[in-house]
Amino acid sequence: MHLASLSRRQLARLAAAAAALTLLATGCVPFGEDEPAPGDDSATGQDDGDGQDGQQGGPELAPVGTSAAQELPTDPAEDAAYAAYYEQDIEWGPCEDVEQYDPSIEMQCGTVTVPLVWDDPDAGDIDLAVARQPAQGEATGSLLLNPGGPGSSGVDFAGSASYLFSPEIQQSYDLVGFDPRGVSRSAGIECLSDEETDEYRASTVEPGTTEAADELERVAQACEANSGEVLPYLDTFSVARDLDVLRAAVDSEQLDYFGFSYGTYLGATYADLYPERVGRFVLDAALDPTVTADEMSAGQAEGFEQATESFLADCLERGDQCPFKGELADAKQQLHAFFDSVDAEPLDTGDPQRPLTGALARSAVLMVLYDDAYWQLGREGLSAAMEGDGAQLLQFSDISAGRNSDGTYADNSQYAISAVNCLDHPGVVDEQWQQQEAERLAEEFPTFGPSMGHSGASCAQWPVQPLREPAPISAEGAGPIVVIGTTRDPATPYEWSQNMAEQLDDAVLLTYDGDGHTAYGRSGGCIEQHVDAYLLEDTVPEEGLTC
């Protein structure tokens, strides 16, 4: 099945997955995948350590600096120095570059201006791109959306809102998405050219090698040369402050919010900064705020190993439709052998300039593992590739990276993820520990573990030091907040959702027993029913509910 034959609904689902896939495909090993904490004790419920030992006695982490948005002497919403930001109105107009799932619905776009440097509002501004799908009935308020990443476009995500959200939600809410600072239309950072990005994605190098370090340094230098003035201000504290300006701009006293994957981390950060302004909050596929960059990679290596086994087990049950044979262990070996063969000799795709390399093949399979609804596409793409035709897997990889058919890229998610994650998640600095951890991941999780090692060392090349320590977020005084976890989520393991729900002062955990990343819009109606009742009627789901 080629993508041209897919329905609009299937394409919308793939586009939504591509937004989430930013968390890993470009390296939620943070420099490179939806999917991911500082402050003083009184302001954010977190330790104010120096970043030297963020793992409570574990290996030393990279030194941590100070975010310009973490601690402010006043509440910006009540400070005259920020009045121009908080008093602005959005001038809504037609959207010129947003692809919609349902073109019959009139989308509206605009901009919101925020300070570049939150503790120095005279240092310049950033214009944030905003889009909304107006309520189809009488609007009861605005629901702010973040699709994850970090680095995914909320403006584009708003264009798919009619696919994801129920008719009842669309009747009652203006659904509002925004491109966070540094992302896509919102002063999006620029790094490599489109042609260089093609080369970067296709390159298959072993993490921890000199070649890998040189490649990461090349990207970091390009990002600094083209966007160095904004790189220090792309951390999640700054985005959370922006979110409060957006709240005011849509004329809401309290923020109603739905965040997926990394968007849960953003939402929890906002709730910690502004607990009294938290309205109805849904956090689907949570990132545990206490994990380091290395723990994030390890959790995902394990998650995608489990997802690989689930995909292969399902495939083997389908007989001749499956390109793998034998038992599960045999199928895993055959998949690994396929990756090895493509590493050694890239496959023809019909485009002599773009063969399917090992890196591109792995990113394609990763995308398939994000949702069991794609498993058929995965079987077909792998069947063709194992017979010598890499065209379908190249298409999947391109979708995951936001690459258009003309060779341009729809967004800058390949690089925005590094810009945010390298500020938010410090990693271990000890090279010997990094090597040992890389060897462990490769041995225990052999499908994708070998490419996920040396995650903490990756950001050593980044031009800005981390600005946040791993620490729990309590958001005392906010809530009730609804946290959703999927039991076999490969990108944000279920345990992370459990941990976030436990850390938050007032939260309930909804569980979806299933495969894939995120739950809302994928659970078959059960999660959607309880979340919609919360958003529409303020009916808090029963604690411990499993769908």
Side-chain angles (χ1 to χ4, degrees):
M1 180 186 294
H2 288 278
L3 297 189
S5 67
L6 297 181
S7 69
R8 179 176 291 275
R9 186 173 182 84
Q10 288 172 310
L11 287 171
R13 181 179 282 274
L14 282 169
L21 187 58
T22 308
L23 183 66
L24 185 88
T26 55
C28 193
V29 291
F31 190 179
E33 172 198 172
D34 191 340
E35 269 237 5
D40 67 4
D41 293 342
S42 61
T44 62
Q46 299 171 13
D47 296 334
D48 57 355
D50 60 4
Q52 299 303 303
D53 191 7
Q55 299 193 77
Q56 299 180 348
E60 180 180 324
L61 298 181
V64 174
T66 301
S67 166
Q70 177 180 346
E71 298 179 26
L72 300 179
T74 63
D75 181 346
E78 301 175 357
D79 187 331
Y82 300 88
Y85 301 110
Y86 274 88
E87 293 173 358
Q88 64 187 305
D89 294 318
I90 303 174
E91 295 185 8
W92 296 107
C95 297
E96 297 180 354
D97 62 347
V98 180
E99 185 173 347
Q100 294 180 238
Y101 170 67
D102 184 353
S104 69
I105 296 177
E106 181 182 355
M107 292 283 297
Q108 298 173 332
C109 287
T111 59
V112 171
T113 302
V114 296
L116 170 64
V117 185
W118 264 99
D119 61 5
D120 184 6
D122 295 326
D125 299 330
I126 282 183
D127 288 334
L128 304 181
V130 188
R132 73 174 177 182
Q133 176 185 300
Q136 302 304 290
E138 182 178 351
T140 60
S142 296
L143 184 64
L144 272 289
L145 312 173
N146 182 279
S152 297
S153 167
V155 169
D156 292 336
F157 189 67
S160 298
S162 59
Y163 157 73
L164 181 63
F165 291 96
S166 68
E168 293 76 16
I169 295 295
Q170 295 181 60
Q171 282 286 319
S172 298
Y173 280 103
D174 290 338
L175 299 175
V176 181
F178 68 103
D179 287 355
R181 55 173 59 213
V183 173
S184 195
R185 306 165 183 84
S186 297
I189 65 167
E190 298 179 4
C191 299
L192 301 182
S193 68
D194 291 341
E195 294 77 12
E196 290 170 329
T197 298
D198 279 350
E199 295 173 3
Y200 176 55
R201 290 178 48 230
S203 177
T204 304
V205 297
E206 182 180 350
T209 63
T210 300
E211 184 181 7
D214 290 345
E215 190 169 78
L216 293 174
E217 184 176 9
R218 179 171 71 99
V219 175
Q221 289 178 346
C223 295
E224 183 176 27
N226 295 319
S227 301
E229 69 281 0
V230 301
L231 293 183
Y233 309 111
L234 303 182
D235 61 298
T236 297
F237 278 123
S238 295
V239 181
R241 298 286 186 187
D242 297 345
L243 194 53
D244 197 52
V245 175
L246 287 164
R247 172 199 59 78
V250 297
D251 200 26
S252 296
E253 291 187 7
Q254 290 188 310
L255 176 68
D256 294 326
Y257 176 82
F258 204 134
F260 298 85
S261 198
Y262 161 80
T264 66
Y265 186 59
L266 170 59
T269 300
Y270 178 91
D272 217 29
L273 291 173
Y274 302 108
E276 72 283 358
R277 294 180 193 147
V278 169
R280 297 172 188 178
F281 258 50
V282 182
L283 308 178
D284 187 356
L287 271 69
D288 182 350
T290 69
V291 299
T292 67
D294 305 282
E295 291 166 339
M296 187 180 295
S297 293
Q300 292 186 325
E302 181 176 6
F304 277 96
E305 194 70 25
Q306 180 185 49
T308 299
E309 293 177 356
S310 295
F311 165 69
L312 291 175
D314 177 82
C315 183
L316 291 171
E317 292 178 356
R318 298 175 184 275
D320 292 342
Q321 297 180 37
C322 181
F324 305 102
K325 307 301 177 186
E327 303 297 326
L328 178 60
D330 301 318
K332 285 182 69 174
Q333 287 299 321
Q334 292 161 27
L335 178 62
H336 299 167
F338 165 71
F339 285 148
D340 290 342
S341 69
V342 181
D343 286 339
E345 187 174 350
L347 290 180
D348 178 68
T349 63
D351 182 347
Q353 304 302 315
R354 301 190 68 221
L356 183 76
T357 65
L360 294 172
R362 288 178 178 86
S363 68
V365 175
L366 280 170
M367 182 169 184
V368 167
L369 298 179
Y370 263 73
D371 190 334
D372 52 1
Y374 313 147
W375 286 1
Q376 178 185 351
L377 295 174
R379 292 193 303 271
E380 294 170 352
L382 282 165
S383 293
M386 293 171 75
E387 294 177 359
D389 181 1
Q392 291 187 53
L393 291 188
L394 179 62
Q395 286 180 302
F396 299 162
S397 180
D398 284 349
I399 288 176
S400 75
R403 187 185 190 275
N404 300 316
S405 59
D406 62 1
T408 61
Y409 282 81
D411 55 44
N412 65 344
S413 59
Q414 295 285 313
Y415 307 111
I417 184 173
S418 303
V420 178
N421 275 346
C422 284
L423 301 188
D424 282 350
H425 303 290
V428 173
V429 296
D430 183 81
E431 293 184 3
Q432 182 177 359
W433 185 94
Q434 286 283 338
Q435 182 60 37
Q436 292 172 345
E437 175 70 355
E439 292 171 358
R440 182 185 74 85
L441 296 182
E443 180 178 354
E444 294 185 15
F445 314 117
T447 305
F448 296 104
S451 62
M452 294 186 182
H454 300 278
S455 55
S458 299
C459 284
Q461 307 288 348
W462 196 247
V464 185
Q465 70 179 141
L467 301 178
R468 185 166 191 163
E469 293 180 37
I473 294 178
S474 63
E476 185 174 352
I481 294 173
V482 175
V483 179
I484 309 172
T486 299
T487 55
R488 293 180 296 284
D489 188 323
T492 52
Y494 179 63
E495 181 183 359
W496 294 357
S497 293
Q498 291 178 304
N499 292 347
M500 178 173 279
E502 291 175 1
Q503 293 167 27
L504 291 170
D505 180 60
D506 185 2
V508 297
L509 177 66
L510 273 178
T511 298
Y512 171 48
D513 184 6
D515 296 284
H517 185 44
T518 75
Y520 188 90
R522 302 180 50 251
S523 77
C526 179
I527 292 292
E528 295 79 4
Q529 174 186 351
H530 293 285
V531 169
D532 286 2
Y534 168 68
L535 291 174
L536 297 171
E537 304 164 10
D538 203 21
T539 302
V540 179
E542 179 182 350
E543 176 64 45
L545 182 67
T546 297
C547 291

